[in-house]
Amino acid sequence: MTETVAKPAYSRILLKLSGEVLMGDDAFGINRDTIDRMVDEIIAVSALGVELAIVIGGGNIFRGVAGGAAGMDRATADYMGMLATVMNSLALAEAISRKNVPARVMSAISIDQVAEPYVRPKALQYLEEGKVVVFAAGTGNPFFTTDTAAALRGAEIGAQVVLKATKVDGVYSADPMKDPTATRYSRISFDEAMVKNLGIMDATAFALCRDQKLPIKVFSIIKPGALQRVVLGEDEGTLVYA
């Protein structure tokens, strides 16, 4: 008897990881066990034939120097944050490559000795070849978050969905840590999320996804197997749709 293999709901996705999810239980930096577990989930999704690009934040690295950055010019601090995302991207790509899945880091700022410059046609070529592409350094501009970079890169590469991986398993009617009666939305429209001021992404990223009709799926990367369940179209997390 032939076993039925589940088909992915998406063929090309943009995964947005916050830097904080790499810390595990550490105060800052990268927890090796945590990154290895995430890499296993990423590889499992790639093995389904899904073309996968990733944008990762730098909060876990920048947190270690946050005290020294107090009072610093915003643009300078943002450029430091971009460098932190490059460090995270290199660590993630190296961990993926160690498990025999090709990964490429493409940076929005010029840092040629460390990462390739971001070039859209090249990124599309890598995705079509089955490589995991990690977009580093945000948009390359200060005053824009990595959420905005995820929305921008997702639109540029023609991703079918932006997967926002967090420590919370979806979007709730209230803070579930403070309100035990808070309920998780399975689906919610962009307009309803705006009216309820749910703060799913920063305003620029959210508006870009809304304008491009690019859905956002919010889920917990901490839950084992959650990424694969999202990609397979199961009821995991919250879908924000146009």
Side-chain angles (χ1 to χ4, degrees), residues 41-91:
E41 300 217 7
I42 289 167
I43 289 174
V45 167
S46 180
L48 295 172
V50 177
E51 295 176 2
L52 176 63
I54 302 171
V55 169
I56 187 165
N60 59 314
I61 302 294
F62 194 71
R63 183 175 297 187
V65 296
M72 184 179 292
D73 174 78
R74 169 66 188 275
T76 300
D78 281 358
Y79 279 116
M80 290 174 65
M82 289 180 215
L83 295 176
T85 72
V86 173
M87 295 171 68
N88 279 340
S89 298
L90 291 171

Side-chain angles (χ1 to χ4, degrees), residues 147-223:
D147 274 356
T148 299
L152 176 62
R153 297 292 182 247
E156 285 184 304
I157 66 171
Q160 294 166 299
V161 66
V162 171
L163 303 183
K164 184 173 171 62
T166 69
K167 294 183 178 181
V168 182
D169 64 342
V171 179
Y172 281 77
S173 57
D175 186 343
M177 301 298 291
K178 299 177 180 178
D179 184 354
T181 66
T183 56
R184 177 179 67 86
Y185 296 103
S186 177
R187 296 166 57 90
I188 188 169
S189 70
F190 280 101
D191 291 342
E192 187 179 356
M194 288 177 67
V195 169
K196 294 177 183 279
N197 194 28
L198 294 176
I200 293 166
M201 279 184 163
D202 75 74
T204 303
F206 194 81
L208 179 55
C209 286
R210 180 175 179 265
D211 290 346
Q212 296 299 314
K213 295 181 170 55
L214 178 58
I216 305 166
K217 185 84 166 185
V218 182
F219 73 103
S220 172
I221 195 67
I222 306 301
K223 291 174 65 176

Side-chain angles (χ1 to χ4, degrees), residues 102-174:
R104 297 289 184 272
V105 177
M106 306 189 84
S107 173
I109 58 175
S110 181
I111 187 166
D112 294 348
Q113 291 88 342
V114 175
E116 296 182 47
Y118 169 69
V119 178
R120 179 176 175 269
K122 193 69 175 178
L124 292 171
Q125 177 186 328
Y126 285 152
L127 290 171
E128 291 164 1
E129 291 172 351
K131 296 180 174 69
V132 176
V133 181
V134 186
F135 296 126
T139 66
N141 303 287
F143 307 105
F144 291 93
T145 68
T146 49
D147 274 356
T148 299
L152 176 62
R153 297 292 182 247
E156 285 184 304
I157 66 171
Q160 294 166 299
V161 66
V162 171
L163 303 183
K164 184 173 171 62
T166 69
K167 294 183 178 181
V168 182
D169 64 342
V171 179
Y172 281 77
S173 57

